[in-house]
Amino acid sequence: SEFFIECRENHSQWILDNYERIVSPYARSQMCLVLGFRGDESCLDFLINQAELFARNYPNDNLEQGPIIAAYMLSGETKYLTMY
C-alpha cells in the first residue's frame, strides 16, 4: 500500500477496477486506506460499503478501520485523526 501512496501517479481508479481481485481482507482494507490518501469524494460510498462489509464479516479483526479512516480523510474530517 505504501507504493500507491508514494507513487506520483494516482492509481485510485486501478484500485477500484481491480479491488475484487484482491483476495486478502487485510490487503483490501489497506487499499481502502490508499483511496483515502489518493482518491476523491466519489470513493466515499465505496468506502462506507467496505467498512460495513468488514465490520459484518470480520468483527474481531478491526479491518473496517481502513475504509473508515479513508472516508474521514476524503470528507475533510482529518482533525479527528492522530498520527503517531
Side-chain angles (χ1 to χ4, degrees), residues 17-45:
D17 292 344
N18 291 281
Y19 188 80
E20 294 301 320
R21 296 174 58 191
I22 302 170
V23 179
S24 165
Y26 176 79
R28 285 184 171 202
S29 181
Q30 292 297 299
M31 290 299 105
C32 289
L33 193 55
V34 170
L35 291 174
F37 282 97
R38 301 302 299 265
D40 57 37
E41 289 182 0
S42 69
C43 298
L44 283 173
D45 287 337

Side-chain angles (χ1 to χ4, degrees), residues 29-69:
S29 181
Q30 292 297 299
M31 290 299 105
C32 289
L33 193 55
V34 170
L35 291 174
F37 282 97
R38 301 302 299 265
D40 57 37
E41 289 182 0
S42 69
C43 298
L44 283 173
D45 287 337
F46 172 81
L47 293 169
I48 292 166
N49 289 335
Q50 290 305 301
E52 292 171 349
L53 181 114
F54 285 133
R56 186 173 49 254
N57 293 335
Y58 306 98
N60 299 321
D61 296 329
N62 295 320
L63 295 173
E64 72 278 2
Q65 295 303 309
I68 288 172
I69 291 169

